[in-house]
Amino acid sequence: MTKLSEQAAARIRAVMAARKISVADYAKQTSQSVDVVSRRINGKVDLSLTDIEAFANLTGYQPSDFLNNQFILDDQKAVE
């Protein structure tokens, strides 16, 4: 896994934990299998830009939030 993908995955896991979003819930909301989502967010497979964008759209973040040097976990961020 690339360093950038690993960083994004760690931030996605943090948001999921803060918002109590399960892998199964996220998979369902993005029409993916639980196995595919699990492998991506747990570092078995690199995240794509499409993965990051989908998660950002779901949670109200900007895709760049998961890629920037600094990250602020905001469990209250509004979904647009």
Side-chain angles (χ1 to χ4, degrees), residues 58-69:
L58 181 71
T59 57
Y61 284 89
Q62 294 297 314
S64 60
D65 291 337
F66 298 100
L67 303 172
N68 288 333
N69 289 333

Side-chain angles (χ1 to χ4, degrees), residues 3-15 19 47 49 51-80:
K3 185 174 179 174
L4 191 57
S5 185
E6 186 176 307
Q7 171 185 292
R11 291 172 178 181
I12 286 172
R13 289 191 305 273
V15 173
R19 297 209 183 161
L47 291 166
L49 292 176
D51 295 324
I52 295 168
E53 181 178 39
F55 189 78
N57 290 337
L58 181 71
T59 57
Y61 284 89
Q62 294 297 314
S64 60
D65 291 337
F66 298 100
L67 303 172
N68 288 333
N69 289 333
Q70 294 184 350
F71 179 73
I72 299 173
L73 179 62
D74 184 356
D75 63 349
Q76 301 300 315
K77 210 169 213 10
V79 176
E80 296 178 10

